[in-house]
Amino acid sequence: VLGLELNKDRDVERIHGGGINTLDIEPVEGRYMLSGGSDGVIVLYDLENSSRQSYYTCKAVCSIGRDHPDVHRYSVETVQWYPHDTGMFTSSSFDKTLKVWDTNTLQTADVFNFEETVYSHHMSPVSTKHCLVAVGTRGPKVQLCDLKSGSCSHILQGHRQEILAVSWSPRYDYILATASADSRVKLWDVRRASGCLITLDQHNGKKSQAVESANTAHNGKVNGLCFTSDGLHLLTVGTDNRMRLWNSSNGENTLVNYGKVCNNSKKGLKFTVSCGCSSEFVFVPYGSTIAVYTVYSGEQITMLKGHYKTVDCCVFQSNFQELYSGSRDCNILAWVPSLYEPVPDDDETTTKSQLNPAFEDAWSSSDEEG
């Protein structure tokens, strides 16, 4: 992760005619990636290099384009693979629907209709006991849709404004986190009828703080959520240009300082964490770049520059420690660890001559000239 750079040998086929809002890589083999765009189009990519050439393009296996009978009418905000196999995936859109797709036929197996614009949805990555999809909409209620019965099973009430992000815990089957424009983040046990477990408080319950910001997670809209891979902590981002790290069992603000995390997104921001690194990292869209921070120290490691418009989403591929990002410039970029191989001394002259003159080191020290 410390050596991530834009991959010069790999392109992702450009299909979308609009910005890319959401990406998801299936967790079974880490080979297939979904993307959803502001043009309503969904594309399925094969990330594997079948050509065995060093330079290759990740091909789109298939897409749900504008001419597909079941295509979303408006912007697709979230796509997600069914966590247990690649035969199914879900998508939700500003057209007020959540669609369940059969991957093999590219037909909808089920459609859930809502009264409001849908901002985000999420299925539990670990649950074997339930098939609930949490859905956040422009209304203040969180809807839970049951894939088994095909109906909205129940509603979580407590937020006052639209729900911009939802995320199930990767550790506990029934724990759900929700983020809202009302500056609040709530943790729910969806088996309990009585309401939420914890409302996160940035001041950790200290009474001296201003009353109006009591029980708020941010001083602005909260538009992004991401659990660490072990589920023990929760990261949130808000339009107050802050990122916060919370203990997900007691809701305590750990007070890690990431500095200013620029965020003026009007909708949900899809950010991600590493998995399988000795120190965990978080990747956050930051204007047209992606900022990389160490989760527990708050140190900014690097800024990944390559997009030329706002980045809206990124996703981590843990098998190869790679990152994919989607932007309003209609491009998906692959970021891979740089592998600098040491050059043997006697070959130095040949490698120099193979260098593109633009990259050659034209600087010379005075003692060589002398």
Side-chain angles (χ1 to χ4, degrees):
V1 168
L2 296 174
L4 276 183
E5 59 176 32
L6 192 57
N7 192 348
K8 302 172 188 70
D9 303 323
R10 182 185 328 177
D11 281 324
V12 180
E13 191 177 353
R14 185 168 165 166
I15 305 281
H16 288 282
I20 290 143
N21 297 325
T22 170
L23 294 168
D24 192 38
I25 296 174
E26 46 88 10
V28 184
E29 6 169 24
R31 175 175 173 180
Y32 295 102
M33 180 169 74
L34 289 166
S35 65
S38 53
D39 51 2
V41 171
I42 297 171
V43 185
L44 197 166
Y45 298 94
D46 185 349
L47 301 178
E48 194 165 88
N49 180 8
S50 48
S51 71
R52 299 282 174 260
Q53 303 295 316
S54 57
Y55 183 87
Y56 69 102
T57 299
C58 297
K59 287 288 187 201
V61 182
C62 54
S63 65
I64 297 161
R66 296 302 322 153
D67 50 357
H68 190 288
D70 295 327
V71 69
H72 282 290
R73 294 203 313 281
Y74 305 128
S75 175
V76 174
E77 291 300 303
T78 314
V79 289
Q80 190 192 358
W81 286 102
Y82 181 62
H84 306 295
D85 69 64
T86 54
M88 188 167 88
F89 65 89
T90 52
S91 63
S92 61
S93 159
F94 279 176
D95 67 9
K96 306 181 182 178
T97 64
L98 164 73
K99 296 187 176 185
V100 183
W101 301 85
D102 179 320
T103 312
N104 299 313
T105 63
L106 281 197
Q107 304 295 314
T108 50
D110 211 343
V111 178
F112 294 90
N113 291 287
F114 301 92
E115 291 166 14
E116 307 266 8
T117 299
V118 181
Y119 284 109
S120 82
H121 77 271
H122 194 228
M123 287 177 280
S124 169
V126 291
S127 176
T128 50
K129 303 185 181 74
H130 69 75
C131 282
L132 295 173
V133 187
V135 181
T137 69
R138 186 168 279 165
K141 301 183 181 88
V142 182
Q143 321 255 355
L144 296 177
C145 300
D146 192 343
L147 293 182
K148 285 199 179 106
S149 68
S151 65
C152 283
S153 60
H154 57 293
I155 283 169
L156 305 175
Q157 300 199 47
H159 283 295
R160 297 172 194 173
Q161 291 179 43
E162 63 258 40
I163 312 294
L164 296 171
V166 293
S167 181
W168 292 94
S169 161
R171 192 179 187 90
Y172 302 109
D173 283 27
Y174 294 99
I175 301 298
L176 174 72
T178 58
S180 166
D182 65 7
S183 306
R184 287 172 171 79
V185 174
K186 290 178 181 286
L187 290 173
W188 314 77
D189 179 336
V190 299
R191 294 167 299 186
R192 287 176 34 152
S194 59
C196 86
L197 286 175
I198 307 172
T199 300
L200 301 183
D201 178 7
Q202 59 183 320
H203 306 304
N204 285 335
K206 293 198 174 67
K207 293 285 182 284
S208 61
Q209 304 293 344
V211 178
E212 61 269 19
S213 68
N215 262 3
T216 57
H218 286 265
N219 299 325
K221 298 179 176 182
V222 192
N223 58 352
L225 284 174
C226 189
F227 279 96
T228 53
S229 52
D230 59 13
L232 294 176
H233 290 86
L234 175 69
L235 284 147
T236 61
V237 291
T239 56
D240 56 357
N241 295 329
R242 286 281 175 263
M243 179 160 64
R244 296 208 159 91
L245 180 73
W246 310 83
N247 178 323
S248 56
S249 57
N250 62 11
E252 187 182 8
N253 180 359
T254 62
L255 305 175
V256 173
N257 182 7
Y258 300 95
K260 182 182 177 184
V261 182
C262 202
N263 171 6
N264 46 21
S265 175
K266 303 276 189 294
K267 48 186 190 176
L269 192 72
K270 311 280 194 300
F271 70 106
T272 190
V273 289
S274 64
C275 179
C277 304
S278 58
S279 169
E280 296 291 320
F281 299 95
V282 53
F283 308 92
V284 192
Y286 192 113
S288 63
T289 64
I290 299 140
V292 184
Y293 300 90
T294 312
V295 170
Y296 300 109
S297 75
E299 182 191 356
Q300 188 185 94
I301 302 297
T302 184
M303 297 284 257
L304 302 176
K305 298 182 173 73
H307 286 288
Y308 54 91
K309 281 191 182 167
T310 304
V311 178
D312 280 320
C313 56
C314 52
V315 63
F316 190 70
Q317 210 283 28
S318 54
N319 303 5
F320 299 109
Q321 304 276 298
E322 296 170 345
L323 186 77
Y324 290 84
S325 58
S327 158
R328 292 181 202 173
D329 60 18
C330 309
N331 290 319
I332 298 171
L333 298 181
W335 308 85
V336 299
S338 58
L339 302 170
Y340 293 116
E341 295 187 2
V343 181
D345 291 345
D346 52 2
D347 289 354
E348 203 167 352
T349 47
T350 54
T351 44
K352 269 277 169 58
S353 58
Q354 288 162 1
L355 263 180
N356 177 328
F359 297 117
E360 242 175 290
D361 186 1
W363 184 83
S364 65
S365 66
S366 55
D367 57 17
E368 275 177 312
E369 289 168 11

